[in-house]
Amino acid sequence: MVRLTTELIAKSRSHVKRKQGPSSQEYLRILTHLHFSNKNIEDIGDISVCRNLSVLYLYDNQITHICNLDFASSLTHLFLQNNNITHIENLSHLQKLSKLYLGGNKIAVVEGLEKLTELRELHVQNQRLAPGEKLLFDPRTLLSLADSLCVLNVSRTNIDDIRDLRELRKLQHFSAADNKLQQVADLEDVFTHWPELLEMDLRGNPVCKRQKYRELLITVCRSLVVLDGKEINEVTRQFLINWKTFKETNRRPTQQCYSILTKTMFIRNSPGICIL
């Protein structure tokens, strides 16, 4: 078994290359970035001497459990994607953590993040789940992240409903591509709770084939600038919002009204508009 220890760190190429400088123990104490990706590591041992660690790269390994990181109170970035982790655990002491990468593991429930009130990015995409399983979220974790989380990636996790995520009112970037989302109405309900959303990717979901899917989401997400990899034309957005206003005031728009509205938008935003 390959275990991450201070001895392994001392033998690493970046450590051996030091020709001059502090002693081994002092070097470990002042170390801020640790790169051990793709090293066949299966377990995290006692590396508590690295008390100033702020960024830890452990992706593309064979790690099954998150452990022995309680000492890392200065850690801000943790890269654990593409391992064999099944549970999110033992992270409560990492209260400065701002970016957590857990994609490509075997996690079925997003939990154990209640103390991470500084977390801004959470990447849990592409989980290797058992047939019939889908990614779930612990309500306590969602509530704790409501005022901090700005980026969430849940692509390819078999989710079919995101209504529980409405608590994440600070979201700016949301990726849920290649899932099983189907209902436009459910999406509209959630997105009204995300006033700061700037970019969203839902490609590969059944809902994308629904009639007027793109038009509806553009009118609901007023701050959105990119949807499914395509920028949103502001002229188009304003046209769709105006057209929706006509419909919501229970006035049946005649063809003449439609022509006048189109002509007005054309003149105001020359050289023209793009109707989706």
Side-chain angles (χ1 to χ4, degrees), residues 27-34 50 52-56 75:
Y27 170 75
L28 292 174
R29 279 195 290 269
I30 65 176
L31 192 65
T32 59
H33 290 61
L34 193 56
C50 305
N52 283 309
L53 204 60
S54 60
V55 180
L56 178 55
L75 200 67

Side-chain angles (χ1 to χ4, degrees), residues 22 49 68 79 100 137 155-156 172 176 206:
V49 67
N68 291 324
F79 297 81
L100 178 57
F137 284 79
S155 297
R156 299 179 298 282
Q172 297 178 5

Side-chain angles (χ1 to χ4, degrees), residues 200-259:
M200 176 166 58
D201 190 353
L202 299 178
R203 286 174 288 188
N205 282 277
V207 70
C208 298
K209 299 179 181 179
R210 301 289 183 183
Q211 187 177 19
K212 297 188 181 300
Y213 148 82
R214 185 174 174 86
E215 291 92 327
L216 286 169
L217 294 191
I218 288 174
T219 58
V220 171
C221 306
R222 302 293 178 90
S223 60
L224 201 63
V225 295
V226 179
L227 174 58
D228 296 343
K230 297 180 180 178
E231 290 189 9
I232 297 171
N233 183 290
E234 281 304 315
V235 177
T236 299
R237 188 204 306 275
Q238 193 57 52
F239 174 83
L240 292 172
I241 291 172
N242 289 348
W243 187 245
K244 183 180 180 182
T245 301
F246 269 115
K247 295 170 68 175
E248 289 178 347
T249 54
N250 294 318
R251 292 173 55 186
R252 176 178 292 180
T254 63
Q255 183 61 40
Q256 182 179 7
C257 290
Y258 184 89
S259 299

Side-chain angles (χ1 to χ4, degrees), residues 2 32 74 81 96 101 146 150 153 155 182 201 209 224 265:
V2 180
T32 59
S74 298
Q81 63 268 43
K96 291 185 179 180
Y101 295 82
C150 298
N153 190 343
S155 297
Q182 297 193 42
D201 190 353
K209 299 179 181 179
L224 201 63
M265 294 300 296

Side-chain angles (χ1 to χ4, degrees), residues 72-111:
S73 58
S74 298
L75 200 67
T76 60
H77 295 58
L78 179 56
F79 297 81
L80 285 168
Q81 63 268 43
N82 301 326
N83 279 282
N84 293 315
I85 298 167
T86 57
H87 295 90
I88 303 175
E89 55 190 349
N90 301 320
L91 295 177
S92 58
H93 288 83
L94 310 185
Q95 295 182 18
K96 291 185 179 180
L97 198 66
S98 64
K99 296 184 181 183
L100 178 57
Y101 295 82
L102 289 167
N105 280 286
K106 300 178 180 179
I107 298 166
V109 181
V110 176
E111 58 186 344

Side-chain angles (χ1 to χ4, degrees), residues 59-152:
Y59 58 87
D60 295 339
N61 281 299
Q62 304 296 324
I63 298 168
T64 57
H65 294 89
I66 305 173
C67 59
N68 291 324
L69 293 178
D70 291 355
F71 72 92
S73 58
S74 298
L75 200 67
T76 60
H77 295 58
L78 179 56
F79 297 81
L80 285 168
Q81 63 268 43
N82 301 326
N83 279 282
N84 293 315
I85 298 167
T86 57
H87 295 90
I88 303 175
E89 55 190 349
N90 301 320
L91 295 177
S92 58
H93 288 83
L94 310 185
Q95 295 182 18
K96 291 185 179 180
L97 198 66
S98 64
K99 296 184 181 183
L100 178 57
Y101 295 82
L102 289 167
N105 280 286
K106 300 178 180 179
I107 298 166
V109 181
V110 176
E111 58 186 344
L113 304 179
E114 291 80 21
K115 301 294 185 180
L116 306 187
T117 56
E118 298 297 318
L119 194 65
R120 292 179 55 82
E121 294 191 20
L122 177 59
H123 302 263
V124 288
Q125 74 281 5
N126 199 27
Q127 296 302 317
R128 307 193 306 276
L129 302 174
E133 268 194 322
K134 63 180 179 180
L135 187 68
L136 301 174
F137 284 79
D138 186 326
R140 294 169 296 182
T141 282
L142 290 174
L143 285 173
S144 67
L145 299 179
D147 291 321
S148 65
L149 199 67
C150 298
V151 178
L152 177 62

